[in-house]
Structure formats: C-alpha cells, structure tokens
Amino acid sequence: MSKIGVFVCHCGTNIANTVDVERAVASARELPGVAFASEYKYMCSEPGQQMIKDAIEEYGLDRVVIASCSPRMHETTFRKMLKDTKVNPYMLEIANIREQCSWVHTDKAKATEKAIRLIRMSVAKAARDEPLFASSIPIEKRALVIGGGIAGIQAALDIADAGHEVALLEREPSIGGKMAMLDKTFPTLDCSACISTPKMVDAGAHPNIKLLTSCEVVKTEGYIGNFQVTIRRNARYVNHDICTGCGLCETKCPVKTDSEFNHGLSKRPAIYKLFPQAVPSKPVIDKNSCLKLTKGKCGVCEKVCPLGCIDYADEDREFTETFGAIVFATGYELIDWTALYGEYGGGRYPDMLTGLQFERLVNASGPTEGHIVRPSDGKEPKTVAIVKCVGSRDPKKGKSYCSRACCMYAAKHAHQILDKLPGTRVFIFYIDVRTPGKGYEEFYDQTRKDGAIYVRGRISKIYKDGDKLVCNGEDTLLGKQVKVMADMVVLETAMTPSSGIEELATMFGVARDVNDWIQEAHPKLRPVETQVGGVFLAGTCQGPRDIPDTVAHASAAAAKVVSLLNKSEMETSPMISVVRREHCCGCGACEKICPYTAITLEEIDDRVGAKRVKRPIASVNSGLCQGCGACTAACRTGAIDLLGFRNAQILEEVDALCL
Amino acid sequence: MNDNLAKMREAAKRALESGDVGYVIGWGATKFPDKTSPLFMRKPEDAERLVWNEYAIPGIAKYLLDDLYPDKPIGVFVRGCDSRAINRMMKDNRIKRENLRLLGIPCDGKDDERCTICRNRNPLVYDELLWDEAPTPEPKDRYFRANAVEAMSADGRYAYWSEVFDQCIRCYACRNICPACNCKECYVDMTATGFQGKQHSRSDNLIFGVTRAFHVGDRCIECGECERVCPMGLPIMGQTQKILKDINELVGDYESGVDAESENYLGVFDLDDKDEFM
Ligand SMILES: Cc1cc2nc3c(=O)[nH]c(=O)nc-3n(C[C@H](O)[C@H](O)[C@H](O)COP(=O)(O)OP(=O)(O)OC[C@H]3O[C@@H](n4cnc5c(N)ncnc54)[C@H](O)[C@@H]3O)c2cc1C
Ligand code: SF4
Ligand code: SF4
C-alpha cells in the first residue's frame, strides 16, 4: 500500500477564504493510501517545504499530494524540494484548488466540496505514480536569432559577448529592422540611427556573430540543444566575398522602383542597398525589377563593377546548421489600413501617411532630406491631423489590442512638426493618451505645451475637398462634431505580427495567441520563453512594445540562451510518451497528431505464430516529445502512454471523481 | 445460373489454378435460403460453391485481418463497400496492397435498407473488373438514423440510447465485423475496471457504445455491417452517422475509404481547419 502525504495550502487567504481547509484535510485523511494529511499557510515557503520534508521522514511517505495553486506555478518548486528527500520528484501530484477552485467560486460550502474532490482525484492518481528519472542530452553551443531588428541585434550581441557563437538571420538584405527607419526616438529624442547603427556595425563585426542576411528558415528538425535548421539564402546576384560596397553599380542602374525602406516615398535602383548605412554594406539585386533578370537585357552593373562581383546566374542556396537555442525576433509590421478603412479613402490620397512613412519623411536621410512636405505637391502643410489607434483598439475593423508605442510616437510626430514648421496647427485625435514609462508623461505634457491640440474622439471619415483632406469626427469631451481641413494626415496604425510568422511558428511548434503574436510560456513568470524547450522570444514578435522594452526583452532572452548554452548537457523531462509495442498496430494516428513531430513509424521484427514478420510500430523521439499527450488521446488501442500521465492514472482520476 | 456468377466462378477458378493466390474469399450458400456466408475457396473446384445473389450481403473484406502476412496474395471479390473497407484497412496500415488480388464486381444493390444509402456500388480499388460498371442510383437519406435521433429532445435522446444500450450484450460482433475496428488489440479486450468496466449495466454499456462510435468516428465507411451482425438488432449506425454528419456539415463532402491516401478528418491538424467551435 502506498503511503501518501496530503498537504493543503491556504495560500494566505487566497484559498482559505473560499475553501474550508481543515475539512479538506480531514476528508483527505480518510482516503485509501493516505498516511498523513496536514495544512499550512504557505506550502511553498521555506517552513512549508520543511514541514513536508519532515513529514516524509517521520511517516515514511513515498508519494506526495499538494493541494495548492496551479502546477504551472509551483510544480517545479516542489519537485526541487523532493530532490533532497527519499521521494522521487515525480511521485508528486498537485491538486489545483486555487485557480480551478477558490478563485472561481464564491460559495464556500460548494467550493470546499469541489476542493475535496480535486484532492481525491490527485490522491487516486498519485497512488499510481511511478518513479521517473530525467536523462540528459548534449547541447550544441550555438544560437540562431531569427530577425535582425533591434531585438535580434541586441540578443545576438549579448549572447556573443557571453562567448557563444550566434547566427543572426534576417530575410531582408540588411539588419536594422524598423528602428533603422525611425528618425528620432521618444522620449529623449535622440537620433535613432545614431543609437542603432553602431549596434548594427558591432553585430556585423563581432567575431562570434555570423550574419545571415537575405536568408529564411525553410525547415527545422531536432529539439532543445540540437536543432537542425535548414536555411535558404536567397540569391543576391552579387558576390559579397569580393564586393567592397563601392556603390558604383547603384548609380548606373537604369531601373527605378519603389523603395521598401522609404515605404514608397522614393525610388531605388534594382541593384541596391536597403539604406545607406546597411549592414552588410553591400548591394543585392532585386530579381523582380532587374532588367537583366526579367527581360534578359541591360547588364549595366556587370559592366561597371570594377571587381566583377555581379553574377546573374546566382541561385537560392539551402544549407543546414545545428543550433542549441533559437531566438524568435521577427518583430512587427503595420496593419494594412487601406484594406480596412474605406472611409479614410482606402489609400487613395497621397498626403495621408502611416507613422513609418512619416518617420522617413522627417528623417534627414529620407526622401526629402527631412523637410516635412506633402508628397503630392511638395508644399509644406499648414494643418496636420494625426489620427491614433487606426486599427488598434478597434475590434470591429482591426485589432482589439493597444499597440502601445503609438501614443508616444504620435506625440513625437507632433513635436517634430511643431519644431520644424513652427506655426503649423497639429491636431491629434485620440481615444486615450497612455504614457506609462519613464519620462513619457513629461514628454506628452511638453508636446501639448508646444502647441499640439489633442481632440478626444475617433475620426469617422476623411475625404478630399480641393487640396484639403477633410477629417470629420467628434470631440467626445465637448460632445460636438468637429471638422479639420488638413493638408496632411498621419495615421498611427496598429502593429501586427510579421508576415510569415504562422509558417515559422508552426515549423518550431511554437504557439501563437489569438492575434498571432508568439505566445510566451507564462505571461508573468516566463515572458521570454515559449512552451517549446530551447525556443526563446525577443521584442515585438511577442506583442507590441517600444524600443526600451524591446531591448530589455531581448537581453532577457539572451540571458536565458546563455544559461542554456553554458551547460554542456541538460536534463530532459522524463514525462514523455512510451509505446507498448505489443499493442501498437502501426496505424500512425499518433504520428499525424503529434505537434512536435516526435513520432515516426519504424519497422520491427516480430513473430506471428511461427512466422517472422516485419511490422510498423510507433516510436517516440525522447528529445522531441514535449509530453503534451495528444498522441495518447489519438491512439485507440491505448498503446501509447504518457509517463506521469498514464491512461490508467487518468482513468483512476475519472473514477475518483465519478464513481 | 446468371452470367455474372459464371464470370465470378471463372475468375476464382483461374486465379486458383494459376497459383497466384493462396485462396479467394467470396460468398457461399447456407442452410437458410435467404442467407449467405463467407466462402474461402482454396482449390479450383471450390469455385463451384460460389454464390452471387440478392442475399450476398455480408462484407467479406474484414477477414483479411485474420491473415496479415500471407505467403501468397489473397483473392477477394470486391463491391463498392468491400473496396472501401480495403482502402480503410490499407490507410490504417493494417493490410498491404501487394498481398491482395482484387476481383472487382460492380454491385446491383441488395435488398437491404443499408444499401439504399450506398454511394459507391462500383469498386473503387481492384485489379480486374469482371463486368461493366453501372451508375449508382441517387442514394436515399445518408443520415437516416442520425436524423431520427437528432429530432428528439436531449432527454428523449438519453432515454433512447439508454434503451438501446440496456439491450447490448457486449458480444462485440459490431467490432468484429467493422473494417474500421482493425486495431491489433481492441481496448475492450484489455482488462479494464471503473467506468471502462464490462458489467452488463447501463453506464458501462453506454460508455462502450460511445467509445466504439468515436474510435470508428471519421473512419466509418458507412457499410452498416455493425447493424447487420448485431444479434440484438440495435440501431447503432445512428452514432457513427451523427459524427459523419457533423463533419460533413462543418467541412463539406467527406467520405472515408474512397481511397487509401486521404487523411482522416479528425486525425490531422491543419492551420486552415475550421475552428468555429474554439
Ligand atoms: C511609426 C513608429 C514610430 C516608432 N517610434 C518609436 C520611438 O520613437 N521610440 C521607441 O521606443 N519605439 C518606437 N517605435 C516602436 C519600435 O519600432 C519597436 O519597438 C522596435 O522597432 C521593435 O523592434 P523589433 O526588433 O522587435 O522588430 P523589427 O524592427 O520589426 O525587426 C524584426 C526584423 O525581423 C525580420 N523578420 C521578420 N520575419 C522574419 C522571418 N520570418 N525570417 C527572417 N527575418 C524576419 C524583419 O525583416 C525585421 O528586420 C515606433 C514604431 C512605429 C511604427
Ligand atoms: S506526448 Fe505524444 S503527441 Fe505529445 S509530443 Fe509526445 S509524442 Fe508527440
Ligand atoms: S501507438 Fe497507437 S496510434 Fe500510434 S501507431 Fe501505435 S496503435 Fe496507432
């Protein structure tokens, strides 16, 4: 007979207010197999843990049930505690009587009854717990950072500075991301390029960092410590090993096409650097606009290049490398407002800009060398309307979330206009002004003092009247209709996850939230980890945020990576699936359902009667299996079983609840 | 003797004489004039015992599971429903195409309620076709049992299924004949207690019924053999029909066993899956 100890936690008053802890303990004492039951104010605290350890000694307990908060909260804490005792750390069950009971109920009598049942289930399961032992896997001491925005750059630099090799992968021809496009950064108004380009250069020159620009991830296999990632380097048509970046080719190329970096506000040649400070500072050919590659004519760049770097026959190339850890730093994009807001003209009026276009417009190295003029006629605007929350906080048309940085950069944009064009009237339409951050409220105050006019309300319609953009809306504070005859409108649009994030996330088995941002493992306690071991998160790929938060997030992710790569091998969870070969019929249902591609069918030698036969059976890769249990539900025979959550244990729980 | 039967006997005989197959599975007479039983022909002369009439109703493909590693291929006569059963078992990795010699026999429909919902009288996989295909008549209500149950109130449905499963004697005939029930070892044959128990009680029987339905689930080929073999005459197609109906309403036309490649709808995860219930 097992000797189970049951420990019921008050969690201060969190549990004790709604659950009669004494009654729960008394009823636990009556359960079969329970040798000891007790309660305490905070089980997770030092004295609480000591009490459990003492009880194990005194009563010779061989398994433990702790009725407390969610196992996601403290299961690891208690497992660690058991390491110092005779009890195997996996002979532990947590009955969640907080999140699943006291927090969601008010009726104390009924909540107590439920807590008693939850404990009964855990005791029934614990009786069938078996000792499990972690094994260890070697760790490849290299990290792959996907996305070369400020998040990716910061994470790569921190990991590299700690002495580990990093590959920084970026699908564009240069690293830099959005920050490289910005003019000044709030609240200090230091020039964005001045603080980001040195970091880009550092990343490019760091002996531990390998830049993989124009690259994309196409496939990944393996698991924490050992990811085999297949990468495609898109053809550049320029041999970067020889190219010095002299830039002659760019000046001679006859093609003019929209510049991505300037968001269509200017043109660039077909052979181009993303922007003058690009890292690597070498051009690539855009195969969609190059005359030689599309029509077979031209070939000018090949003629002018003094070093013979041009290679029109260059091809996409795939290669596979091994990494111990992965950092997602894929950033954000701006929502396509033109598709959503027909009432704002749907993109028909050239003098309506997005925030990023405006950043390029005010930027001294931008298309107008920093002069704020209307793209349509080159005139300076006298009246500018800035509209916030376009696509943010608008569940009907756009996204329900707040994009976090817009309140501040809208104030920045107003300030920049008032600074460069004194006397301009700047209206900012807002729902709320949110300025939580060091120096942020002061910055907003200053912008109002500068003369920005804040109008509380959404704009309902924007249309053209002569050369004016008429903005109709409501001032909800005055309860009046307002109409602004603007010369230029800046839309501060919502941040959305980068395109291609679904494929990338699916490849690594990483979850996304309802809005497709990458889901962190725990919103409070594990904000830079995903639920997939060895895959970490940096910056806006997890949700909208500004640069200070992005950089902090990235450094945190780097710290996690470094602590992983510092080990030469790591323990793996023993809670993985096992196949009972004699029952498995090789149907492959589990193989298809496994989200981590941990299962493959393999042929085994078997005997049927007197015959030697080969038959397929499922086999689980213990490094890949995350213990999600999907396969155990898919297997009709019950041939595949999750250690720690065996079918028999789940059935015991159900029986304890229902019978 | 009808023409088709002659062709079938001829085909079986030829196959057995050539020695290409170990044996051929078809239908034979029983002592009841309106019943046939599966016939295993091993010698050319056994072909004379083959029958093909309006009572050649039983599905014969499931017997392939009894001989998974044959020395020589097994010959089987396949109608539409038998071919779907074979696709089903191939898709489930249970039988191998190279072990089969499929003699296709387009069916003319039998005198059975289940044949009125048939969507494929012509075999969908075969090695040779013994006579010409004919179009399958427009099937009657595909979900005839499920619709009747759906029309009831929730309490009415509970009462209905309770009454049905109170009669279940747990003989597992439905499981034995079902081509989708092709596991090496069925969960009901493993010792189980608690709510998976095997008492002759309403709750244990209901759990068995619902588990059977979900295990078959999206893999049901709608042949109705389960009802045919049930000694208690229980209308259990109502359960599997309901699952198929839901899938069809959610994702459009879905049928299992029409080929051996298409994925089982409930067995894969796809980013484009409809998820209006989540
Ligand atoms: C108009 C505007 C003004 C702003 N002003 C300020 C400001 O003044 N101060 C401030 O603090 N913040 C500001 N922000 C916010 C700031 O831009 C972000 O916080 C920051 O740039 C986020 O950096 P990131 O690295 O997370 O993302 P990004 O800069 O978006 O970098 C992501 C990188 O990953 C790459 N990538 C994406 N997907 C893939 C893939 N599948 N494979 C390979 N590479 C991929 C992208 O090409 C990109 O280079 C502003 C934002 C906007 C829109
Ligand atoms: S528990 Fe099963 S489905 Fe889940 S990861 Fe492991 S093998 Fe895959
Ligand atoms: S473990 Fe189960 S689901 Fe997986 S192949 Fe074997 S029988 Fe099929």
Side-chain angles (χ1 to χ4, degrees):
Chain A
M1 189 77 177
S2 50
K3 284 188 148 188
I4 305 174
V6 179
F7 301 89
V8 187
C9 181
H10 293 237
C11 192
T13 52
N14 271 303
I15 293 172
N17 264 0
T18 335
V19 170
D20 182 342
V21 173
E22 270 81 36
R23 251 196 70 203
V25 170
S27 91
R29 282 202 185 105
E30 306 303 316
L31 294 172
V34 173
F36 176 78
S38 166
E39 34 78 32
Y40 188 67
K41 262 222 146 17
Y42 295 103
M43 268 318 160
C44 56
S45 69
E46 172 64 35
Q49 296 193 26
Q50 194 55 48
M51 183 189 120
I52 300 174
K53 288 193 217 170
D54 292 346
I56 290 172
E57 273 303 312
E58 193 174 342
Y59 300 93
L61 305 177
D62 60 3
R63 47 202 85 205
V64 170
V65 171
I66 299 173
S68 59
C69 50
S70 158
R72 298 196 65 170
M73 191 78 195
H74 278 314
E75 192 171 52
T76 15
T77 315
F78 292 123
R79 285 232 172 94
K80 274 203 193 113
M81 168 197 84
L82 288 178
K83 276 195 177 159
D84 310 336
T85 71
K86 287 182 207 139
V87 178
N88 178 283
Y90 293 88
M91 309 281 269
L92 165 76
E93 292 302 325
I94 307 272
N96 179 356
I97 60 166
R98 192 179 79 174
E99 284 84 343
Q100 288 180 358
C101 188
S102 70
W103 275 0
V104 287
H105 299 299
T106 46
D107 183 329
K108 190 161 182 174
K110 285 189 185 161
T112 305
E113 196 45 48
K114 178 167 168 184
I116 289 173
R117 285 173 175 224
L118 288 169
I119 295 170
R120 195 160 75 210
M121 286 165 70
S122 291
V123 167
K125 181 170 178 234
R128 288 195 176 234
D129 275 346
E130 53 202 341
L132 300 177
F133 301 93
S135 55
S136 59
I137 46 171
I139 290 171
E140 176 80 23
K141 291 177 177 288
R142 293 182 74 214
L144 171 69
V145 178
I146 306 172
I150 187 61
I153 294 172
Q154 184 66 43
L157 282 172
D158 287 352
I159 300 168
D161 282 344
H164 298 293
E165 276 178 43
V166 189
L168 178 55
L169 180 144
E170 168 60 58
R171 62 182 171 194
E172 296 296 332
S174 168
I175 57 170
K178 307 297 176 302
M179 190 174 170
M181 297 170 186
L182 306 183
D183 180 41
K184 294 196 161 60
T185 54
F186 62 74
T188 45
L189 291 179
D190 33 7
C191 131
S192 186
C194 313
I195 53 178
S196 71
T197 41
K199 276 200 185 284
M200 290 164 55
V201 174
D202 284 354
H206 203 294
N208 281 344
I209 299 182
K210 177 161 111 183
L211 287 190
L212 298 173
T213 49
S214 302
C215 284
E216 281 171 87
V217 176
V218 286
K219 201 177 93 188
T220 169
E221 282 175 352
Y223 41 85
I224 179 166
N226 218 320
F227 293 98
Q228 278 100 42
V229 184
T230 304
I231 296 167
R232 183 180 61 238
R233 202 214 68 193
N234 295 320
R236 293 169 171 148
Y237 308 101
V238 179
N239 185 341
H240 279 197
D241 294 339
I242 336 177
C243 172
T244 57
C246 70
L248 195 58
C249 50
E250 293 177 67
T251 58
K252 299 291 187 227
C253 174
V255 174
K256 291 279 164 279
T257 183
D258 277 347
S259 148
E260 300 79 357
F261 192 73
N262 285 335
H263 296 272
L265 293 178
S266 71
K267 301 284 179 195
R268 62 152 173 87
I271 184 162
Y272 72 111
K273 274 191 266 180
L274 201 55
F275 52 104
Q277 299 77 26
V279 172
S281 181
K282 295 173 186 182
V284 297
I285 296 182
D286 163 16
K287 68 170 177 218
N288 297 321
S289 59
C290 167
L291 294 176
K292 179 77 181 172
L293 292 171
T294 51
K295 303 208 174 80
K297 288 187 226 117
C298 186
V300 166
C301 48
E302 188 177 30
K303 283 180 210 121
V304 299
C305 177
L307 295 172
C309 305
I310 310 295
D311 172 14
Y312 298 118
D314 192 12
E315 281 178 348
D316 294 356
R317 192 166 58 82
E318 284 188 8
F319 52 96
T320 302
E321 293 192 4
T322 306
F323 301 98
I326 309 287
V327 179
F328 270 53
T330 49
Y332 70 97
E333 274 165 20
L334 293 183
I335 200 167
D336 179 13
W337 69 273
T338 58
L340 302 171
Y341 292 87
E343 66 270 36
Y344 292 176
R348 268 177 293 144
Y349 313 132
D351 298 331
M352 283 176 70
L353 305 176
T354 64
L356 282 178
Q357 285 177 315
F358 184 80
E359 294 283 343
R360 296 312 302 149
L361 193 69
V362 283
N363 193 297
S365 65
T368 59
E369 287 168 350
H371 297 299
I372 303 178
V373 292
R374 310 206 314 170
S376 63
D377 54 12
K379 285 193 198 141
E380 286 182 354
K382 296 272 175 294
T383 305
V384 180
I386 296 177
V387 187
K388 297 205 301 190
C389 296
V390 178
S392 306
R393 305 178 69 195
D394 188 356
K396 285 212 187 76
K397 302 206 128 183
K399 305 291 176 187
S400 51
Y401 54 79
C402 160
S403 292
R404 273 182 64 182
C406 330
C407 279
M408 286 304 295
Y409 69 68
K412 174 180 79 176
H413 291 167
H415 169 87
Q416 286 170 308
I417 298 168
L418 293 166
D419 182 44
K420 291 203 168 178
L421 305 173
T424 312
R425 294 200 308 159
V426 180
F427 294 90
I428 301 183
F429 290 90
Y430 70 101
I431 312 182
D432 294 293
V433 179
R434 297 178 169 176
T435 57
K438 206 166 163 181
Y440 287 12
E441 181 69 13
E442 295 85 335
F443 184 85
Y444 160 55
D445 264 347
Q446 186 56 45
T447 309
R448 280 193 305 178
K449 283 189 198 125
D450 292 344
I453 304 156
Y454 273 75
V455 185
R456 188 171 190 276
R458 268 193 201 276
I459 289 291
S460 56
K461 192 171 169 64
I462 302 177
Y463 58 94
K464 200 151 182 176
D465 187 2
D467 74 341
K468 295 281 180 197
L469 289 163
V470 187
C471 307
N472 279 345
E474 191 191 357
D475 183 331
T476 53
L477 293 181
L478 296 176
K480 270 194 182 155
Q481 294 298 316
V482 288
K483 180 184 267 192
V484 170
M485 310 287 277
D487 300 307
M488 182 190 273
V489 177
V490 182
L491 301 179
E492 315 293 30
T493 46
M495 294 191 197
T496 56
S498 282
S499 58
I501 196 69
E502 292 112 76
E503 291 79 6
L504 197 65
T506 314
M507 252 186 262
F508 284 93
V510 167
R512 287 166 289 136
D513 68 18
V514 286
N515 292 307
D516 277 345
W517 300 107
I518 302 290
Q519 183 75 53
E520 64 282 358
H522 188 285
K524 294 169 213 166
L525 301 178
R526 294 171 67 196
V528 297
E529 291 157 87
T530 66
Q531 90 290 17
V532 178
V535 182
F536 302 91
L537 290 172
T540 46
C541 63
Q542 187 241 11
R545 48 166 56 79
D546 56 18
I547 296 166
D549 285 3
T550 296
V551 171
H553 202 236
S555 288
K560 291 279 175 192
V561 171
V562 170
S563 71
L564 171 64
L565 298 189
N566 277 351
K567 298 181 207 143
S568 53
E569 49 182 33
M570 69 165 295
E571 276 198 355
T572 56
S573 165
M575 298 175 104
I576 56 169
S577 279
V578 288
V579 180
R580 284 190 294 169
R581 295 181 154 210
E582 65 281 17
H583 292 304
C584 173
C585 59
C587 70
C590 52
E591 182 192 23
K592 304 233 166 51
I593 217 84
C594 175
Y596 304 98
T597 57
I599 303 179
T600 42
L601 289 183
E602 67 175 33
E603 293 253 305
I604 57 156
D605 295 313
D606 201 357
R607 291 237 320 245
V608 174
K611 243 182 231 173
R612 290 189 176 281
V613 299
K614 287 207 180 300
R615 68 180 187 92
I617 60 153
S619 114
V620 179
N621 179 327
S622 58
L624 283 177
C625 174
Q626 303 284 319
C628 70
C631 54
T632 66
C635 179
R636 291 174 283 274
T637 336
I640 196 160
D641 221 355
L642 183 57
L643 296 179
F645 287 89
R646 284 193 183 270
N647 289 336
Q649 293 183 288
I650 309 281
L651 296 177
E652 286 293 346
E653 281 191 290
V654 178
D655 283 349
L657 180 68
C658 304
L659 295 185
Chain B
M1 190 168 71
N2 62 44
D3 270 5
N4 289 348
L5 176 56
K7 285 179 190 158
M8 286 167 72
R9 285 185 176 167
E10 177 51 34
K13 210 160 125 204
R14 224 183 315 118
L16 288 164
E17 273 168 0
S18 73
D20 291 348
V21 298
Y23 53 95
V24 178
I25 313 177
W27 295 266
T30 66
K31 58 184 170 182
F32 305 105
D34 62 344
K35 295 264 183 308
T36 59
S37 74
L39 176 71
F40 295 79
M41 294 160 271
R42 293 180 186 279
K43 297 189 286 296
E45 54 271 32
D46 291 347
E48 294 311 311
R49 289 163 52 207
L50 189 67
V51 295
W52 175 244
N53 55 26
E54 66 265 49
Y55 306 120
I57 295 174
I60 50 176
K62 181 71 187 276
Y63 298 101
L64 292 169
L65 269 197
D66 294 335
D67 193 2
L68 289 176
Y69 309 98
D71 296 326
K72 281 183 181 182
I74 307 168
V76 203
F77 286 104
V78 287
R79 302 161 294 180
C81 46
D82 304 308
S83 71
R84 284 177 69 182
I86 283 168
N87 278 335
R88 178 71 269 152
M89 292 187 288
M90 290 201 293
K91 171 71 194 162
D92 292 343
N93 260 343
R94 299 297 281 139
I95 55 176
K96 289 203 170 108
R97 185 68 179 86
E98 66 256 30
N99 288 338
L100 308 174
R101 182 92 183 85
L102 302 178
L103 307 168
I105 48 170
C107 181
D108 42 6
K110 306 290 171 193
D111 181 20
D112 192 294
E113 187 180 25
R114 295 166 299 117
C115 294
T116 63
I117 62 164
C118 176
R119 305 185 6 134
N120 306 283
R121 283 185 174 183
N122 299 312
L124 298 160
V125 54
Y126 53 78
D127 292 305
E128 68 182 284
L129 203 58
L130 300 194
W131 55 83
D132 289 344
E133 296 190 343
T136 304
E138 191 54 34
K140 295 234 173 66
D141 183 6
R142 182 175 175 191
Y143 311 115
F144 64 104
R145 289 247 191 276
N147 286 338
V149 187
E150 266 185 356
M152 300 174 193
S153 66
D155 287 345
R157 285 201 292 272
Y158 185 73
Y160 173 82
W161 287 120
S162 299
E163 201 193 312
V164 167
F165 280 101
D166 281 351
Q167 299 168 62
C168 172
I169 56 169
R170 303 289 284 272
C171 67
Y172 306 134
C174 52
R175 187 271 319 257
N176 293 348
I177 197 70
C178 175
C181 280
N182 53 33
C183 286
K184 185 160 173 279
E185 181 141 7
C186 177
Y187 89 99
V188 293
D189 293 334
M190 301 183 206
T191 13
T193 52
F195 82 98
Q196 276 201 338
K198 297 177 186 175
Q199 280 179 49
H200 182 71
S201 70
R202 175 176 292 183
S203 63
D204 283 12
N205 285 358
L206 280 170
I207 290 283
F208 162 65
V210 84
T211 311
R212 183 200 75 89
F214 272 99
H215 279 194
V216 174
D218 57 342
R219 298 177 310 120
C220 171
I221 61 156
E222 302 167 74
C223 62
E225 284 289 284
C226 46
E227 285 196 4
R228 183 183 64 81
V229 299
C230 178
M232 306 306 288
L234 303 180
I236 51 180
M237 280 176 87
Q239 298 177 300
T240 38
Q241 280 183 358
K242 169 68 178 150
I243 295 175
L244 287 172
K245 185 177 178 200
D246 286 352
I247 296 175
N248 273 273
E249 280 171 3
L250 191 67
V251 297
D253 199 26
Y254 174 83
E255 227 179 332
S256 143
V258 283
D259 59 54
E261 288 79 41
S262 308
E263 293 303 342
N264 307 325
Y265 179 69
L266 298 177
V268 286
F269 170 72
D270 187 342
L271 277 182
D272 300 326
D273 278 347
K274 294 214 173 164
D275 57 357
E276 54 212 34
F277 47 90
M278 270 156 73

